[in-house]
Amino acid sequence: MVHRRTRRGFTMIELLVVVAIIGILMGILLPTLAYVRKKGRESSARMAMNTIVSAIEGYRLDLLHYPPHDRPIGPGGSWGQPAAQPAGGSEVLYYYLCTKLTYGDMHYGPYLGNVGSERLKSPASGSPDKKQIISPLNGFYMYMVIKDPNIPLDQSNENYLVVDAGMDGKFGGEIDPVAGWQSDGSDANNDGILDDVDNIYSSPPVKK
């Protein structure tokens, strides 16, 4: 007599155990993947800030001062006054770092090349050639030249600050043109962490 082996399928309990194990693994892996993704975006934002710093220093080497923060002046001040910070800071940075500048017979820049279209934003109003450079975290940049108005302007007392709002997209303060970064102490999402803790700065945020 030939005995045939019968195939036995999974029981309901075994299936439930497998599903539970998969659920546990997903519960472990998803937060880890989210954390890795977050750190990757933060790293991209920091690298972008380093690139902006290098571009600003290149501008200063050529023109002996930092890009002005009040407006993209251009020939005859053609771009006029930018929007209020931070969108205005992003517009100023785009104009001075990402475009070719002409002063008399001299041509300078662009100092910040290979900026993808995903990091360029058109202002809500104004000329279509205007752009605002945004962070890899999709936020605007604050930008301001910092100097003591009581000291004659020269290279030794002029500084600047660029600020990215970080992962939460909230600046939690503003730049003072003399003192540097000034936190407003806000905590918009009530998590016990000030909004400006995760900001990314071009240099130490407070002028010493």
Side-chain angles (χ1 to χ4, degrees):
M1 178 181 291
V2 177
H3 295 280
R4 295 184 178 181
R5 299 177 63 184
T6 58
R7 295 183 62 187
R8 187 174 68 89
F10 289 109
T11 66
M12 182 62 69
I13 293 177
E14 288 171 333
L15 288 174
L16 290 175
V17 170
V18 170
V19 170
I21 292 173
I22 292 174
I24 292 171
L25 292 175
M26 292 294 289
I28 295 172
L29 289 176
L30 287 179
T32 302
L33 291 174
Y35 177 80
V36 170
R37 186 180 176 210
K38 174 185 175 182
K39 287 300 179 183
R41 294 182 67 203
E42 288 179 345
S43 178
S44 294
R46 293 185 186 281
M47 287 190 293
M49 181 65 78
N50 291 338
T51 304
I52 288 174
V53 168
S54 296
I56 291 175
E57 294 300 335
Y59 177 101
R60 188 191 192 203
L61 284 174
D62 282 345
L63 297 167
L64 305 181
H65 60 81
Y66 292 120
H69 61 249
D70 55 349
R71 64 191 176 110
I73 51 176
S78 58
W79 273 34
Q81 195 78 13
Q85 293 275 13
S90 283
E91 184 176 319
V92 165
L93 290 175
Y94 169 78
Y95 180 83
Y96 287 109
L97 303 182
C98 300
T99 65
K100 187 175 183 179
L101 306 172
T102 301
Y103 296 100
D105 296 330
M106 302 298 293
H107 302 280
Y108 303 96
Y111 297 94
L112 192 60
N114 301 319
V115 178
S117 59
E118 72 280 359
R119 291 192 58 208
L120 298 178
K121 182 180 178 69
S122 296
S125 60
S127 172
D129 64 333
K130 292 184 180 181
K131 296 289 183 183
Q132 297 157 331
I133 183 170
I134 60 175
S135 162
L137 302 175
N138 297 320
F140 291 112
Y141 291 103
M142 282 190 184
Y143 169 72
M144 188 168 288
V145 177
I146 300 172
K147 57 191 176 185
D148 188 335
N150 299 315
I151 302 175
L153 179 62
D154 59 36
Q155 286 186 341
S156 64
N157 65 32
E158 185 182 43
N159 208 333
Y160 70 93
L161 189 62
V162 183
V163 186
D164 180 341
M167 289 294 295
D168 65 2
K170 301 182 185 303
F171 286 95
E174 60 185 13
I175 305 174
D176 182 274
V178 175
W181 182 252
Q182 301 296 297
S183 175
D184 61 14
S186 60
D187 176 15
N189 57 5
N190 298 312
D191 62 356
I193 302 174
L194 298 183
D195 294 334
D196 64 340
V197 166
D198 69 335
N199 287 358
I200 299 170
Y201 303 95
S202 60
S203 59
V206 178
K207 185 181 179 182
K208 300 299 183 180

